[in-house]
Amino acid sequence: MRYNFVVSKLYCTLATCPPLLLGRIVGGYTAAPNSIKYIVSLQSTRGQHFCGGSLVHRYWVLTAAHCNIGAEHMMIVAGDYIVNTFEGTEQYAKPHRLVTHPLYNRSTNDADIMLIKLRAPMVLNKYVSLAPLPRQGTGVVEGRVCRVSGWGYNSLGGGQARFTLRTVTVPIVSTARCNSSESFNGNITANMICAGYRTGGKDACKGDSGGPLVCGGRVYGVVSWGNGCGDAKFPGVYTAVSKFRRWIDQTIYGSYLRCTRY
Ligand code: ARG
């Protein structure tokens, strides 16, 4: 197990960190190859990773609304492990349609959730699977340990560095504590959940956005926002997927249901 550098003010700040240390899962380690089969990389049409996502149906990806750079600029890659390196397990699909949640608010980050309908379905195999989702309205208790994974953003591009999937475990923080005046001071809405250690050091970071926070095998969170990365006072903030389960099902299956009803 190789441990990642902790991107904190002890080591460097977002402004002073060398680009290679920026925007990776903080305090975690390299995932085993193809062990997280439902994670996808959202890439620019030039092949630059910018966000994560979860495959929830052969035709659909769950991600963050703030990852919307426009369907024509995006490529979805499933079965990936080292992003920027072709390993033969990857599957590529262009988006057909982006469905941003109608209540998404880019200034408060509320309802930061988006579904991407693919032009062609992903093939489920040894490297690609579907992510289980929580039921509508189910919560996760404070202290429950969950796992967040991602590739982070490579601001250098060019592919000289190998970007391997990384992962870290973080406990759920109550909304009351996350909203306290010492922390996010009321900015956490009912559509958000927080996760992180009281001592900080382990977190998602820029470029992990849209990726999954998995608790008990289900995607309870989508990496959304934060204040720095791994800061003891500021846990990572995730979109609460269980608040959107009904919207997800209606978006994915609603059209099929209408077609078969007569
Ligand atoms: N908004 C960031 C992104 O675009 C993700 C931030 C997550 N930050 C955190 N400290 N957990 O990738």
Side-chain angles (χ1 to χ4, degrees), residues 66 203-209 223-230 236-238:
H66 82 263
D203 198 2
C205 199
K206 190 173 153 63
D208 292 318
S209 278
V223 178
S224 179
W225 62 287
N227 184 340
C229 299
V237 187
Y238 299 81

Side-chain angles (χ1 to χ4, degrees), residues 14-221:
L14 282 177
T16 62
C17 277
L20 280 172
L21 292 183
L22 269 182
R24 324 251 345 240
I25 289 281
V26 171
Y29 50 89
T30 304
N34 306 102
S35 55
I36 307 167
K37 303 181 208 293
Y38 48 79
I39 197 168
V40 301
S41 162
L42 308 191
Q43 301 186 357
S44 70
T45 42
R46 286 191 186 149
Q48 182 141 75
H49 168 91
F50 66 90
C51 269
S54 304
L55 194 67
V56 295
H57 179 282
R58 289 180 321 138
Y59 269 103
W60 293 87
V61 164
L62 180 70
T63 186
H66 82 263
C67 292
N68 185 352
I69 61 162
E72 64 280 18
H73 303 295
M74 282 166 76
M75 179 66 91
I76 286 82
V77 188
D80 216 346
Y81 178 53
I82 305 171
V83 93
N84 290 354
T85 300
F86 184 72
E87 299 150 283
T89 55
E90 298 91 343
Q91 294 182 45
Y92 301 86
K94 288 193 156 187
H96 171 64
R97 187 158 64 94
L98 306 183
V99 187
T100 306
H101 196 278
L103 296 179
Y104 170 55
N105 183 325
R106 59 156 75 222
S107 48
T108 63
N109 293 312
D110 195 34
D112 186 11
I113 195 163
M114 177 169 77
L115 281 162
I116 303 175
K117 169 97 191 259
L118 306 177
R119 273 180 197 271
M122 296 293 185
V123 176
L124 306 183
N125 60 22
K126 261 174 69 183
Y127 310 103
V128 177
S129 70
L130 302 181
L133 297 176
R135 291 199 204 157
Q136 177 72 31
T138 52
V140 263
V141 294
E142 177 164 33
R144 176 102 183 253
V145 176
C146 306
R147 174 177 297 283
V148 60
S149 312
W151 283 279
Y153 182 74
N154 175 2
S155 60
L156 294 179
Q160 66 271 60
R162 282 151 58 92
F163 284 84
T164 308
L165 183 62
R166 300 187 77 87
T167 185
V168 70
T169 55
V170 277
I172 297 292
V173 172
S174 73
T175 298
R177 188 148 68 81
C178 202
N179 249 338
S180 71
S181 53
E182 286 91 75
S183 194
F184 287 107
N185 196 22
N187 289 308
I188 305 303
T189 71
N191 293 323
M192 301 173 188
I193 49 176
C194 300
Y197 287 93
R198 279 172 191 266
T199 49
K202 297 187 181 197
D203 198 2
C205 199
K206 190 173 153 63
D208 292 318
S209 278
L213 176 76
V214 175
C215 316
R218 294 176 193 271
V219 179
Y220 272 89

